[in-house]
Amino acid sequence: MSSERRGKKKKCSTTGQRKLGPNITIAEFAGAQDAREDSPAPVSRRFLAYLIDWYLGSLCAALPISIIAQRVMGDMANQRLVDFPAPWGMVAGALALLFSCLYYLAIPMLVWRGQTPGKRLCRIRIEMVDGSPVDLWHLVLREVVGVFLLSGVIANASSVWHQMATIALQVNLVHPLMYGGFALTAVSCALILCRHDHRCVHDFIGGTEVRLVAHTEKVPASNVGERDVRAS
């Protein structure tokens, strides 16, 4: 009897557990593995996706600036547009914004609908509040207006246009705009932590929500039947 009890106890203790091996995905590492599909994306996944996108997006923005800096100033590491001789600061800034838009707009519209590389890895997606796929206009409102223009510390593109505005107006706007971005980012952090849907300021501006996606895409039954007929 004692051996049977030990066996039952051991079986119960291991039920529901999963060994963490080398095949664990980034999304699983971020937590909420058992969360239901189409439910709001957990804060952990959104934060991890943000870190990935911030790094890759910053590389995209820095690439044209570095090339022009090397050609004009002989110093690839100089990313301060205000130090560039006219008109190269504005040229480098415009190209950096273009590359940022390609990352944050073109990829989610043309490659993975509603997903940047970071969101793709974490299995989350930008959608409209009603669950429909996000369109270009609302994605522009979310990313360009909500993130680039207003939230001045969560994307490298924000620093770029701050410096471009300083060059154009000959007034130092970098610090005032940065502090305003800090304040708005703090509001976003409070919203994402307190709201059950985890929507932040740029989600409200774009009318969007970030939700979980399935592990694999579901194939409609009609398509499966067609494939079986063709195979036969």
Side-chain angles (χ1 to χ4, degrees):
M1 288 291 292
S2 60
S3 61
E4 290 180 2
R5 287 180 182 175
R6 287 196 200 99
K8 288 181 180 178
K9 200 175 284 185
K10 186 176 182 181
K11 188 175 182 180
C12 293
S13 64
T14 57
T15 301
Q17 292 183 1
R18 179 181 177 184
K19 290 184 179 180
L20 298 180
N23 294 328
I24 188 170
T25 65
I26 291 178
E28 290 169 341
F29 176 77
Q33 297 96 317
D34 300 325
R36 186 172 57 85
E37 178 192 356
D38 290 333
S39 60
V43 176
S44 57
R45 289 205 195 187
R46 289 196 64 171
F47 182 67
L48 182 57
Y50 160 72
L51 291 179
I52 296 170
D53 287 330
W54 178 85
Y55 179 75
L56 296 178
S58 296
L59 289 179
C60 289
L63 179 61
I65 297 176
S66 298
I67 293 174
I68 292 177
Q70 179 65 36
R71 298 274 301 196
V72 175
M73 306 176 66
D75 183 7
M76 189 176 211
N78 189 354
Q79 297 285 307
R80 283 176 50 86
L81 300 180
V82 293
D83 294 339
F84 285 35
W88 293 109
M90 297 296 286
V91 172
L95 290 174
L97 292 178
L98 175 62
F99 277 51
S100 295
C101 288
L102 290 175
Y103 184 89
Y104 287 100
L105 298 178
I107 293 177
M109 290 305 300
L110 302 177
V111 183
W112 302 304
R113 193 60 177 265
Q115 292 180 304
T116 53
K119 288 180 173 60
R120 179 77 174 180
L121 288 170
C122 293
R123 290 205 300 269
I124 59 178
R125 177 167 54 209
I126 303 168
E127 297 178 354
M128 301 302 297
V129 175
D130 61 5
S132 61
V134 65
D135 55 49
L136 179 60
W137 170 244
H138 287 90
L139 193 62
V140 168
L141 287 177
R142 184 186 196 273
E143 300 296 336
V144 177
V145 178
V147 177
F148 293 0
L149 295 182
L150 298 180
S151 301
V153 293
I154 63 175
N156 186 263
S158 299
S159 173
V160 170
W161 85 260
H162 294 172
Q163 294 183 72
M164 291 178 69
T166 297
I167 295 171
L169 300 176
Q170 295 297 307
V171 178
N172 187 2
L173 297 175
V174 173
H175 291 94
L177 291 172
M178 183 180 67
Y179 294 143
F182 270 121
L184 197 63
T185 300
V187 173
S188 282
C189 291
L191 289 173
I192 201 172
L193 291 173
C194 296
R195 291 182 58 88
H196 73 280
D197 56 7
H198 307 309
R199 295 179 71 201
C200 48
V201 171
H202 48 271
D203 283 314
F204 284 102
I205 292 173
T208 59
E209 185 175 338
V210 180
R211 296 191 176 103
L212 290 167
V213 297
H215 290 251
T216 56
E217 295 293 333
K218 297 179 181 178
V219 179
S222 60
N223 291 345
V224 175
E226 290 175 6
R227 289 180 183 176
D228 291 341
V229 170
R230 290 173 184 172
S232 62

